[in-house]
Amino acid sequence: MQINKAALEIFDFTSSLAVYSEHELKVGDQAIQDYIANHVVKAFKDLAARTGTLHDASPFGKQLVDYKNGNLKFIDLSKNLGESLFTYMKQATDSVVIDTIICEAITDASYICILLCQAHDAFTHQLFSEDDGSLATELVSHKAVLPMPSQKLRAFASINLLDFSVRIFEPKGEFDGEVSYILADKVLQLGTNQSSRDTVKKVKAIVDKVAQAYESDGVVELTTAKSMIAKNAEVSDTVDPVRIVEEVFKENPVQQEAAKKELADADMMRPLPVNREFATKVGEHHKIKTDTGIEISFPVEYMKNREFIEIKTNDDGTLRIELKNINKIVNK
């Protein structure tokens, strides 16, 4: 990850003050380079990020086209974006200080990235000499300290300068009485897909809901769905919820149609982007908890092999879980 250019805009919503820099940050300073790059790399991997595409005819899209064509300087692009952000955010943000870093990052492609860094209070130490020559230490409060790279940004967006594809995460805010995403809905004006985490969560919830509605515990159905999501991630960065429910409920057309209706209500009747690493991990283990308080976690693939685990129904309707071929038990 290389940060080519960057600018810092300061939004102080405690006093409704915005400061727009007329100069770029010195990204040749290794500390500044590392700080911004580490935040961008971490944000790129965030599973809460949604995806979308910026239209080149939108207000900011037009500015990006001008920037790509050399008709708009980076510092002017940054200031214009900052002014638009502040206009919307000052009507929706609590009394906080938010430093906004706008940068051009280079990795597999060139990206314009927007980092909203909510400042916080912090303490550091100070050493000073008393009048008698003795040394003393004290704690010093610092206002508006930026988040460390290990901490999550308040909001983040990246726009691929080649195809204008977008990755974005942000909290919702209220603007003019309307709850919305300020970056996505107001500033960038784009529609987004749901995040990888939300996509997988909703698919699992629908499979479980439909299975239990037809008197099943949902274990077999959920493990099948999770296994399909994981195997699909080996070859694709999208997941098709329709294909999953068709396979999970292939023996029961009524359940299959019920699941499709749930998908339609959730606007999931199409392949959706998913983080492949995350999807693979989803299919590794499944956890169940009984009404007696017993919890069991096991590899998903074991549900297809009765040599390891089997769930049976007793004559009185209760369930029995059998764990087989165990050589050793380890306490944790």
Side-chain angles (χ1 to χ4, degrees):
M1 175 69 68
Q2 174 69 31
I3 306 301
N4 275 1
K5 301 176 182 180
L8 174 65
E9 319 293 1
I10 301 172
F11 302 155
D12 185 349
F13 295 105
T14 61
S15 57
S16 193
L17 174 68
V19 179
Y20 306 107
S21 177
E22 297 179 359
H23 301 278
E24 296 180 17
L25 290 174
K26 298 177 181 178
V27 295
D29 184 319
Q30 195 60 47
I32 295 176
Q33 176 76 210
D34 290 345
Y35 178 80
I36 299 175
N38 288 337
H39 264 304
V40 173
V41 168
K42 186 172 185 289
F44 262 81
K45 297 177 181 179
D46 198 295
L47 297 176
R50 310 185 311 281
T51 58
T53 302
L54 179 68
H55 199 289
D56 58 10
S58 68
F60 187 61
K62 291 178 181 178
Q63 293 187 55
L64 280 184
V65 171
D66 287 342
Y67 174 67
K68 286 178 62 178
N69 294 335
N71 299 322
L72 183 65
K73 294 181 179 179
F74 176 80
I75 199 66
D76 294 326
L77 174 74
S78 176
K79 181 180 179 182
N80 293 344
L81 177 58
E83 289 176 341
S84 180
L85 268 169
F86 187 73
T87 297
Y88 289 109
M89 291 184 67
K90 69 181 180 181
Q91 301 183 50
T93 308
D94 297 329
S95 297
V96 295
V97 175
I98 295 178
D99 284 3
T100 300
I101 298 173
I102 298 160
C103 68
E104 180 182 282
I106 309 295
T107 172
D108 58 322
S110 296
Y111 298 86
I112 291 296
C113 299
I114 306 166
L115 294 71
L116 267 61
C117 312
Q118 183 167 332
H120 62 277
D121 295 345
F123 284 85
T124 186
H125 64 262
Q126 180 172 294
L127 178 67
F128 64 96
S129 178
E130 295 285 6
D131 293 338
D132 62 0
S134 61
L135 293 177
T137 58
E138 64 179 14
L139 288 175
V140 180
S141 174
H142 283 267
K143 304 293 184 181
V145 176
L146 297 186
M148 296 295 292
S150 59
Q151 298 174 307
K152 186 171 181 175
L153 299 169
R154 178 187 176 94
F156 172 83
S158 68
I159 303 105
N160 187 318
L161 288 176
L162 179 63
D163 58 11
F164 281 20
S165 59
V166 179
R167 286 183 58 82
I168 185 171
F169 63 77
E170 62 177 318
K172 283 189 173 181
E174 184 174 334
F175 172 74
D176 197 21
E178 173 193 1
V179 176
S180 62
Y181 291 112
I182 292 177
L183 257 178
D185 298 338
K186 303 297 182 182
V187 177
L188 301 181
Q189 298 181 18
L190 56 91
T192 59
N193 295 306
Q194 60 195 9
S195 68
S196 297
R197 182 181 288 125
D198 285 342
T199 294
V200 171
K201 182 179 179 180
K202 288 180 180 179
V203 169
K204 288 163 55 181
I206 288 171
V207 168
D208 188 42
K209 178 181 178 180
V210 172
Q212 296 206 30
Y214 290 83
E215 300 182 352
S216 168
D217 54 40
V219 176
V220 173
E221 292 86 351
L222 272 175
T223 52
T224 300
K226 292 169 74 172
S227 178
M228 288 184 66
I229 291 171
K231 287 182 178 180
N232 178 76
E234 296 175 2
V235 297
S236 176
D237 56 4
T238 64
V239 63
D240 188 348
V242 175
R243 190 174 71 85
I244 290 175
V245 300
E246 286 178 345
E247 178 64 25
V248 170
F249 299 114
K250 63 182 179 181
E251 304 297 333
N252 192 319
V254 175
Q255 286 179 294
Q256 191 177 113
E257 289 306 311
K260 287 183 178 180
K261 183 180 184 305
E262 294 284 344
L263 290 176
D265 291 342
D267 189 25
M268 297 175 66
M269 295 290 286
R270 67 190 188 285
L272 295 168
V274 68
N275 179 283
R276 294 172 73 168
E277 182 180 353
F278 172 67
T280 300
K281 289 182 179 180
V282 165
E284 292 179 351
H285 288 82
H286 185 67
K287 186 175 182 178
I288 58 176
K289 182 176 181 179
T290 70
D291 56 2
T292 56
I294 297 174
E295 296 184 11
I296 302 174
S297 177
F298 56 88
V300 167
E301 60 189 32
Y302 280 14
M303 278 304 298
K304 297 181 180 179
N305 191 336
R306 295 187 176 182
E307 292 183 5
F308 295 103
I309 185 170
E310 190 172 1
I311 301 175
K312 296 181 177 180
T313 303
N314 298 320
D315 293 337
D316 61 1
T318 58
L319 298 175
R320 181 172 75 256
I321 301 174
E322 294 184 4
L323 305 179
K324 308 174 183 180
N325 293 317
I326 299 172
N327 294 318
K328 185 179 180 181
I329 293 178
V330 178
N331 293 309
K332 290 191 175 181

